[in-house]
Amino acid sequence: MDVQRIISPNRLWLLALGTTLVLGLALRLQGIHNPILDHPGWRQGDTAAIARNFATLDFNIFHPQTDYDGPPPNYVELELQILPFLAAVLYKVFGIHEVFGRLISIGFSLGTIAVLAYFARWMFASRVAGFVAALSFAIYPGAFYYGRTFTPDTTMTFFLTAAVFASARWIVDDEARFGRAFWIAAALSATALLAKPVAIVGLVPIAATLIAKRGWGGTLRAPQTYAFFALALAPYLAYDTYVRSIAEWHWASGITKLHVLPALRAAFMSLAGFEAKFDAFHHALGMLADTMIGRVGFVLLVSACIVTVWTRQRSQSNALLWAWLAAGLAYAYVVVTVERVDYYLYPLVPLAALWTGGMASAVWRNVPARNRLIFAAAGVVAIAGELWTGLHAVAPYYDYSKTVYRDAKALDTTLPPQALVVMGHYDPSVLYYINRKGWEEDAYLWTPFDEESAIAKGARTFVAVEPRRLERNVELYAWLQRFPVANQDARWPVYETDPAKILPGAEQRWKAFRRAEKAHHPMSP
């Protein structure tokens, strides 16, 4: 019996897409109830803290606050916090549960699967392309792992993919005219940049598609070109100007000035700098292959690029794909070689899915009908291989320390509710579960002067999350002995740094320590 006589091709395609979404959901539900101490704990800790602070301190999406750098408000220069704010809305109704952040992220990830299905089907005029693109993104290890983390990157990826798709349709189907399609494309592009400025990568394939459609002259003469890019960029520039004016922590501009630009300058100024940059770029591509799109996915992406070159195809679709790839690799070379975390490569993941879908469609069309079963079987093997290697690659990411979680939650129940703390450890996720505002600092680098400054601002607790590292900081360790320890037998000693609780003889002991130190005869605290 012919299945197509019972089910129309379009309904069969929708059924396949639905099945893909169910598979994608199943992969993203693993570890959904884990504490946000799993990878990347520091980024999830910041995001979750911002969401909680929206709900409890200042319900204003333009006022993102972290838990550290002293008493609130602690405004931070970051992208528009779409995911944390949506989580805060749910917190207002149902209470604070980090799982809401994960569920919202999953929703955006599943939305990206659906967008890719329609994007590839339209771009390559093929249902096969749409199905394979959606399936690829559903099973890429980076997509399904980070698609359930409490981080902004999956949100950005959704809007980036939707923006490029809507813009391509505006250019190709609507002749890049002013109208409804123009406003949708511009709005999605602006939202993508607000979600995370790395989405600027998407403006390159949009520009390339414009040029492929209208030529350089037509593109530069059209007022729509300038209106589109102005509308895409202006909201982020306005938001960033405002948030930088109130922020104490300048993450985006600080990282750019202190790390990204000096590394790029060094790559062009010396052979050693160039070699270091090239090695770091090779490492970035390795992360793309290992944990973001998987080894099988990487082989398929490279194969799709080779097929495109070999067949010498020229079209607006290829202009979009090649420009997106060039922009993504340039971004990786400039940024990911400095900030060496794999999820910074997220903008290349939907591109890999699109290109794989296009190659699958081309092969399907050119394979004789009698051999398509073999092609389908090869596809099943590829899917199995991608899942096997991908699950293995990201398996360590799900791990977290149950002991750290218990210790942090225990402190939450024992410390005074409004206590400002200095946590001797770098990790916002740990401070998040201690559920106090204050400072997170390296116990080895923190000084008595720093601690006195924090106490003057209200700090009444020093939490030695790394007691051995604190002991290596001999000066600070000796200085802290002037205060009582609330939990002598705990893994994390808590010094009660209230000036009213200074122990008798503390100043005399400190002066004796300083004299011995100057005499090069250090004494034990």
Side-chain angles (χ1 to χ4, degrees):
M1 182 178 293
D2 189 351
V3 175
Q4 290 190 357
R5 292 182 179 177
I6 302 174
I7 306 177
S8 68
N10 194 53
R11 288 185 178 179
L12 190 61
W13 184 81
L14 289 173
L15 178 62
L17 175 57
T19 304
T20 301
L21 288 168
V22 171
L23 173 62
L25 175 62
L27 289 169
R28 286 154 177 77
L29 287 177
Q30 181 178 350
I32 190 174
H33 289 293
N34 285 356
I36 56 170
L37 297 168
D38 56 9
H39 177 77
W42 66 273
R43 190 64 173 100
Q44 293 191 96
D46 273 340
T47 309
I50 291 169
R52 185 169 64 189
N53 290 334
F54 278 145
T56 60
L57 295 180
D58 188 352
F59 195 60
N60 185 334
I61 195 171
F62 300 116
H63 291 169
Q65 297 187 57
T66 58
D67 283 344
Y68 45 86
D69 200 32
N74 292 318
Y75 300 126
V76 61
E77 180 205 9
L78 283 172
E79 61 277 344
L80 186 68
Q81 297 295 295
I82 297 172
L83 171 62
F85 192 77
L86 292 175
V89 172
L90 296 178
Y91 289 176
K92 289 284 192 180
V93 179
F94 301 105
I96 296 173
H97 304 284
E98 296 81 24
V99 71
F100 288 137
R102 293 193 186 273
L103 288 171
I104 294 168
S105 193
I106 289 173
F108 279 116
S109 189
L110 296 179
T112 307
I113 294 173
V115 169
L116 282 169
Y118 286 95
F119 193 170
R121 188 178 75 168
W122 170 82
M123 176 180 282
F124 302 104
S126 166
R127 294 186 183 89
V128 171
F131 167 66
V132 172
L135 180 61
S136 297
F137 191 84
I139 66 174
Y140 284 154
F144 69 69
Y145 179 80
Y146 289 114
R148 36 74 69 193
T149 56
F150 203 158
T151 59
D153 300 86
T154 296
T155 305
M156 177 275 296
T157 301
F158 168 78
F159 284 111
L160 167 65
T161 308
V164 177
F165 179 30
S167 299
R169 295 206 64 171
W170 162 61
I171 295 165
V172 176
D173 295 345
D174 207 47
E175 300 291 333
R177 295 173 297 192
F178 284 119
R180 182 170 177 268
F182 166 84
W183 291 107
I184 292 174
L188 285 170
S189 298
T191 306
L193 283 167
L194 285 166
K196 204 165 186 181
V198 64
I200 198 169
V201 165
L203 296 185
V204 178
I206 294 171
T209 308
L210 269 171
I211 294 167
K213 176 70 173 178
R214 309 187 70 162
W216 281 98
T219 300
L220 294 175
R221 286 193 299 269
Q224 300 95 308
T225 301
Y226 302 98
F228 173 84
F229 286 104
L231 289 170
L233 291 165
Y236 173 75
L237 294 175
Y239 166 76
D240 186 60
T241 299
Y242 173 73
V243 79
R244 272 192 294 150
S245 72
I246 65 170
E248 295 181 36
W249 284 90
H250 294 85
W251 281 114
S253 59
I255 289 173
T256 301
K257 292 177 182 177
L258 298 176
H259 303 287
V260 174
L261 292 180
L264 186 62
R265 191 180 305 115
F268 288 100
M269 296 297 290
S270 70
L271 179 60
F274 175 80
E275 290 176 345
K277 195 74 166 174
F278 183 81
D279 288 342
F281 183 63
H282 182 265
H283 175 71
L285 293 180
M287 292 191 297
L288 179 67
D290 289 336
T291 55
M292 289 309 294
I293 63 174
R295 290 301 179 96
V296 175
F298 189 78
V299 169
L300 291 174
L301 171 60
V302 173
S303 301
C305 294
I306 293 172
V307 167
T308 302
V309 173
W310 181 60
T311 56
R312 298 181 180 179
Q313 299 176 22
R314 292 187 179 183
S315 67
Q316 293 153 15
S317 297
N318 284 332
L320 183 151
L321 293 172
W322 284 111
W324 193 340
L325 179 62
L329 292 178
Y331 158 74
Y333 182 80
V334 174
V335 176
V336 186
T337 51
V338 178
E339 296 295 313
R340 301 186 185 188
V341 287
D342 57 359
Y343 60 87
Y344 274 31
L345 295 162
Y346 224 146
L348 286 166
V349 177
L351 169 66
L354 281 174
W355 220 319
T356 302
M359 181 178 68
S361 173
V363 172
W364 184 261
R365 285 170 175 167
N366 289 285
V367 168
R370 63 180 180 278
N371 294 331
R372 285 182 175 176
L373 186 59
I374 299 174
F375 174 75
V380 171
V381 172
I383 293 167
E386 174 74 353
L387 281 172
W388 176 264
T389 57
L391 287 167
H392 179 74
V394 299
Y397 286 2
Y398 294 93
D399 294 338
Y400 68 95
S401 173
K402 294 180 175 62
T403 303
V404 168
Y405 175 69
R406 286 195 297 267
D407 289 345
K409 294 294 286 184
L411 280 180
D412 182 24
T413 63
T414 56
L415 293 176
Q418 301 301 320
L420 282 176
V421 307
V422 176
M423 184 182 75
H425 179 61
Y426 282 142
D427 192 338
S429 62
V430 176
L431 186 61
Y432 176 83
Y433 283 114
I434 294 176
N435 194 19
R436 299 297 185 277
K437 305 295 187 287
W439 295 259
E440 57 169 22
E441 304 293 341
D442 186 340
Y444 184 69
L445 301 178
W446 195 241
T447 69
F449 177 80
D450 296 327
E451 183 62 24
E452 285 180 321
S453 176
I455 291 172
K457 294 175 183 177
R460 293 296 179 263
T461 301
F462 183 95
V463 182
V465 175
E466 298 177 272
R468 291 185 180 178
R469 190 166 178 81
L470 171 62
E471 290 172 14
R472 288 174 56 201
N473 186 345
V474 177
E475 186 179 47
L476 178 63
Y477 183 61
W479 191 87
L480 283 173
Q481 303 313 305
R482 65 184 56 216
F483 299 107
V485 178
N487 48 355
Q488 291 282 354
D489 299 324
R491 288 190 336 110
W492 297 353
V494 174
Y495 294 86
E496 299 182 74
T497 56
D498 187 338
K501 295 182 179 181
I502 293 179
L503 298 171
E507 193 60 28
Q508 290 78 4
R509 288 192 297 273
W510 171 246
K511 289 180 179 179
F513 171 82
R514 295 292 285 172
R515 286 194 299 269
E517 187 179 45
K518 290 179 180 179
H520 303 290
H521 297 293
M523 57 185 289
S524 299

